[in-house]
Amino acid sequence: LGANTAQAAVIIVPPNPLTAATENTSASQIISQGPGAELLQNTQSQTSQTEQVQQSLEGTVFAGSSTIAAPVVEAEGAVLLNCNTGQILYEKNSSVQFYPASITKLMTALLTAENCSLSDVVTFSEAATTNLESGAVTINLTAGDQLTVEQCLYALLLKSANEVANGLAEHISGSVSGFADLMNQRAAALGCTGTHFANPNGLNDSTHVTTPYDMALIARAAYANPVVAQVSSALSYEIPATQKAGARQVTMGHKMLYPTDSRYYQGIHW
């Protein structure tokens, strides 16, 4: 997501093509219960399971009954998670805290999808559009600009627009700090124990941290939400003209989504 680079990787495993018929039924049941419903019911059992396997899985991948060599993972921390079952297939420093950078926006997107209608209008304040560090990715919004929630979600997840994250936070909670409280409440409800969010975009803050395992829980909930899943698998979207910019296309930077790229993975699409 965007220009900010986190030091931890979170990988979600989609259904196995060989067992897609049964696994897709499970996924549909999870979504039909509402975002995060199944996750909340299983938080305690998953946490217990995770504690049991954390030591034994380090540096090892399990596929069926066979143990295979672990992949070479350059990230300092990683989790490979089956999003249907919650099973951890691989982990590296899964309970170590890292700065999440722009993958923070998955939580922002999830809370937006859960608390807003896509047709809601977000009016951007001066604080939302100026309270950014130098070099932060934006779509050049200024105070008074308006976008729908749907347009904001595409700008957030495709362009990683930091002022859009601020605007959504203010729209939902009245302030960035209020939204950060909501983020932390939602993280705790998902079973996260090593996470503290300080802002909706992941810009630098020494108190803004998460762990690979916690981020996997957040990602699992986010991708169980049909709105987040659809937006995050789009390749491009047109943002309408605003005060400082004409209509413009935002495009997805995730190379695994592009069929013409060598890193393309068909199963990543929603």
Side-chain angles (χ1 to χ4, degrees):
L1 288 173
N4 296 332
T5 304
Q7 294 300 308
V10 175
I11 308 170
I12 304 297
V13 180
N16 187 323
L18 299 178
T19 58
T22 56
E23 291 189 345
N24 283 342
T25 300
S26 175
S28 299
Q29 291 172 343
I30 292 173
I31 292 174
S32 68
Q33 294 173 12
E38 189 269 347
L39 307 178
L40 291 173
Q41 294 170 4
N42 292 320
T43 293
Q44 291 182 339
S45 62
Q46 290 172 7
T47 301
S48 176
Q49 176 187 5
T50 301
E51 291 174 348
Q52 294 173 11
V53 301
Q54 278 181 340
Q55 293 182 345
S56 61
L57 283 180
E58 189 72 37
T60 305
V61 174
F62 293 91
S65 59
S66 300
T67 300
I68 61 176
V72 177
V73 177
E74 294 186 7
E76 294 179 23
V79 163
L80 181 67
L81 178 78
N82 185 310
C83 64
N84 288 336
T85 66
Q87 180 185 9
I88 299 175
L89 305 177
Y90 171 83
E91 65 180 82
K92 175 183 176 182
N93 294 327
S94 64
S95 60
V96 176
Q97 288 184 323
F98 297 95
Y99 298 125
S102 275
I103 57 175
T104 296
K105 296 182 175 78
L106 274 180
M107 175 62 92
T108 301
L110 174 61
L111 288 174
T112 299
E114 291 178 340
N115 290 279
C116 301
S117 296
L118 294 178
S119 59
D120 288 352
V121 175
V122 177
T123 301
F124 288 85
S125 69
E126 182 175 358
T129 56
T130 60
N131 187 23
L132 303 166
E133 64 190 46
S134 176
V137 174
T138 74
I139 55 169
N140 203 23
L141 298 181
T142 191
D145 278 334
Q146 292 184 322
L147 295 175
T148 66
V149 164
E150 181 178 14
Q151 292 161 350
C152 286
L153 281 172
Y154 281 98
L156 181 78
L157 293 181
L158 272 64
K159 183 64 175 177
S160 194
N162 291 291
E163 84 275 42
V164 170
N166 286 342
L168 286 169
E170 292 181 351
H171 179 74
I172 295 169
S173 298
S175 67
V176 165
S177 61
F179 187 75
D181 290 339
L182 183 63
M183 296 172 79
N184 290 321
Q185 292 168 18
R186 190 69 174 94
L190 290 172
C192 300
T193 59
T195 295
H196 180 267
F197 291 116
N199 60 59
N201 43 39
L203 293 180
N204 291 319
D205 188 303
S206 61
T207 68
H208 190 87
V209 294
T210 190
T211 68
Y213 178 68
D214 283 1
M215 200 63 228
L217 294 179
I218 294 166
R220 186 187 181 202
Y223 294 129
N225 184 291
V227 171
V228 177
Q230 181 172 351
V231 171
S232 63
S233 63
L235 298 182
S236 65
Y237 186 84
E238 183 174 293
I239 303 295
T242 50
Q243 295 178 70
K244 289 185 175 181
R248 60 278 203 197
Q249 290 280 331
V250 291
T251 56
M252 172 60 74
H254 197 330
K255 305 305 181 185
M256 292 178 73
L257 281 162
Y258 289 89
T260 57
D261 193 282
S262 62
R263 291 157 288 188
Y264 175 66
Y265 175 58
Q266 186 176 4
I268 200 171
H269 289 283
W270 180 70

